Amino acid sequence: MQLVITMSRRYGTGASVIAKELSKRLDIPVYDKVDVEQEVSKNHYDTEAEAIRELAEEPCIILGRCASEILREKTNAFNIYVCADKEDRVHRVMECDHLTREEAIKRIEETDAEREKYYYQHTGKIWGDVSDYHIILDTSKWGIDNCADVLMRYFERMQYI
């Protein structure tokens, strides 16, 4: 199976770390907002959805950009939602971005609000609705480092890889 992984996430959950680790283990690229926007410009696509569909012709990981909804009809797409306790997210953002607690909280709230709005504008759906994902990973419970292991074991057991 040519696995395409979509990963939606709350800000500060460590999803990008999980995506990078999966990318390394599966030897497939990760595409984020910047990559999708570059693909649109480079290939003169009218929408990000067109670029995402094109990128998903090959195995890859796509972070955000409503990819789970755009690729919902693809049988080889596996949709993941990554969450974490707010306090864990605050500490992670403080550490990674070198922010004060107040700045980290503000960034988390603003980024999550932007993502929620973007998702609703482009899909008409509620961001984070569990029915849109195959698996939900809580990095507060599992730990960021364990999530890639959990996913790899699952992909192997289900013979996705």
Side-chain angles (χ1 to χ4, degrees), residues 19-52:
K20 286 176 189 170
E21 182 62 26
L22 287 175
S23 170
K24 185 171 70 173
R25 292 185 191 189
L26 296 170
D27 193 28
I28 60 175
V30 175
Y31 300 114
D32 62 10
K33 176 182 178 178
V34 172
D35 299 313
V36 171
E37 289 172 349
Q38 286 175 348
E39 189 72 15
V40 169
S41 296
K42 184 174 76 173
N43 292 306
H44 307 291
Y45 292 116
D46 291 328
T47 66
E48 286 187 2
E50 287 180 65
I52 288 168

Side-chain angles (χ1 to χ4, degrees), residues 86 90 100-110:
K86 184 146 186 195
V90 168
T100 66
R101 178 176 182 73
E102 294 74 25
E103 291 168 330
I105 290 169
K106 182 178 180 190
R107 182 169 295 170
I108 287 168
E109 289 172 353
E110 288 174 352

Side-chain angles (χ1 to χ4, degrees), residues 34-159:
V34 172
D35 299 313
V36 171
E37 289 172 349
Q38 286 175 348
E39 189 72 15
V40 169
S41 296
K42 184 174 76 173
N43 292 306
H44 307 291
Y45 292 116
D46 291 328
T47 66
E48 286 187 2
E50 287 180 65
I52 288 168
R53 285 187 196 96
E54 182 62 30
L55 291 169
E57 289 299 315
E58 297 292 327
C60 66
I61 301 166
I62 303 173
L63 285 169
R65 314 318 295 160
C66 304
S68 60
E69 185 65 19
I70 292 165
L71 302 174
R72 74 182 174 279
E73 301 300 322
K74 288 186 70 77
T75 58
N76 64 325
F78 188 82
N79 304 321
I80 301 168
Y81 186 79
V82 183
C83 61
D85 295 341
K86 184 146 186 195
E87 196 58 34
D88 290 341
R89 295 167 56 211
V90 168
H91 287 291
R92 179 168 176 70
V93 170
M94 286 172 61
E95 183 179 315
C96 292
D97 297 344
H98 308 291
L99 299 175
T100 66
R101 178 176 182 73
E102 294 74 25
E103 291 168 330
I105 290 169
K106 182 178 180 190
R107 182 169 295 170
I108 287 168
E109 289 172 353
E110 288 174 352
T111 303
D112 282 351
E114 288 170 11
R115 289 177 179 175
E116 183 175 18
K117 181 180 175 186
Y118 180 90
Y119 193 85
Y120 185 77
Q121 286 176 331
H122 289 85
T123 68
K125 292 184 168 187
I126 296 172
W127 181 53
D129 182 346
V130 296
S131 63
D132 293 331
Y133 304 97
H134 296 104
I135 193 168
I136 298 172
L137 296 174
D138 183 338
T139 58
S140 292
K141 303 286 187 269
W142 289 89
I144 294 168
D145 296 335
N146 290 329
C147 287
D149 291 335
V150 168
L151 289 167
M152 289 299 293
R153 283 194 298 272
Y154 180 79
F155 294 154
E156 288 167 357
R157 183 175 184 146
M158 298 304 292
Q159 299 179 343

